[in-house]
Amino acid sequence: MRLFPLSSSSSSSAQNDQNERVKKNLSPLYLNVYDLTPVNNYLCLFGVGVFHSGIEVHGLEYGFGAHEYSSSGVFEVEPRSCPGFIFRRSVLLGSTDMSHSEFRLFVEHLSAKYHGDTYHLISKNCNHFTDEVCTRLTGKPIPRWVNRLARLGSFCNCLLPEIIEVTAVRHLPDNPTFSVTEENEPNHHLLTPSNGDVVFIKEKSGKLARELM
């Protein structure tokens, strides 16, 4: 009797995927999802939650947060370690053939659309940023559950409990040129000031090069 290995096993399939990425010089793209509030433990029972998300690639994580200046609100941190949030899970989104320098340039151009003072919990939050990055690089959006509450809130703000509307989500850019005051607008959610763990991306003006789209 002659036995043959199972070519369709999950382990061999995963190994083949990894080998394919190496051959094509592809880097995996992850969505790191965090809880903004302990209320998520109850909201998740209804298929919703209040989440922060960041894109992990090339050993760094990129996210979008609010501050009070008309400058980039896009920042980078150590993966799965965004300060002020509770890490929940990572989702493999796909892969990219961009090198680290190419991806960094891509983010610098994209950050011109995501200034800190334009952050809005419903219409322009961190999940909108990660969704755009994912869509541009993989052709697919992030999982719908990550930003579902914002979509529901766009129809009815009363769906967002008060405890969520005052959640702080602030990162401040390095070396601000003027003093900072607290923002009382309920839809500006500012992250705690940077302690060295958060580095803001300096935006680049001009259109994104076609080869990086």
Side-chain angles (χ1 to χ4, degrees), residues 129-203:
F129 168 76
T130 55
D131 185 64
E132 180 165 359
V133 173
C134 182
T135 301
R136 289 199 183 199
L137 296 186
T138 71
K140 300 177 182 179
I142 63 174
R144 292 179 60 83
W145 59 267
V146 177
N147 209 27
R148 181 172 291 149
L149 194 63
R151 290 194 301 273
L152 294 174
S154 66
F155 296 103
C156 181
N157 284 335
C158 65
L159 290 175
L160 298 179
E162 182 179 355
I163 188 173
I164 296 173
E165 295 214 352
V166 298
T167 300
V169 193
R170 173 167 56 191
H171 284 307
L172 299 180
D174 297 331
N175 303 320
T177 55
F178 51 93
S179 61
V180 179
T181 57
E182 289 298 322
E183 177 62 67
N184 294 320
E185 246 184 88
N187 286 317
H188 277 77
H189 298 264
L190 307 178
L191 295 165
T192 52
S194 171
N195 59 2
D197 295 328
V198 175
V199 179
F200 271 82
I201 303 295
K202 289 181 169 53
E203 66 187 72

Side-chain angles (χ1 to χ4, degrees), residues 53-117:
S53 66
I55 293 288
E56 179 185 347
V57 65
H58 294 301
L60 288 171
E61 181 176 319
Y62 299 85
F64 171 52
H67 55 68
E68 297 161 345
Y69 308 111
S70 182
S71 60
S72 172
V74 177
F75 58 90
E76 64 182 26
V77 295
E78 288 295 318
R80 309 180 188 188
S81 305
C82 190
F85 303 126
I86 302 172
F87 176 73
R88 173 173 282 268
R89 60 177 294 192
S90 284
V91 179
L92 179 61
L93 299 172
S95 57
T96 177
D97 59 359
M98 286 186 182
S99 67
H100 175 72
S101 59
E102 288 173 333
F103 183 81
R104 180 63 180 244
L105 182 60
F106 166 81
V107 171
E108 288 175 353
H109 280 281
L110 188 60
S111 67
K113 294 176 56 179
Y114 290 90
H115 285 183
D117 62 352

Side-chain angles (χ1 to χ4, degrees), residues 15-26:
Q15 185 64 42
N16 289 339
D17 289 343
Q18 183 178 359
N19 292 340
E20 192 67 22
R21 282 199 298 268
V22 171
K23 284 192 292 185
K24 293 183 178 180
N25 199 25
L26 300 179

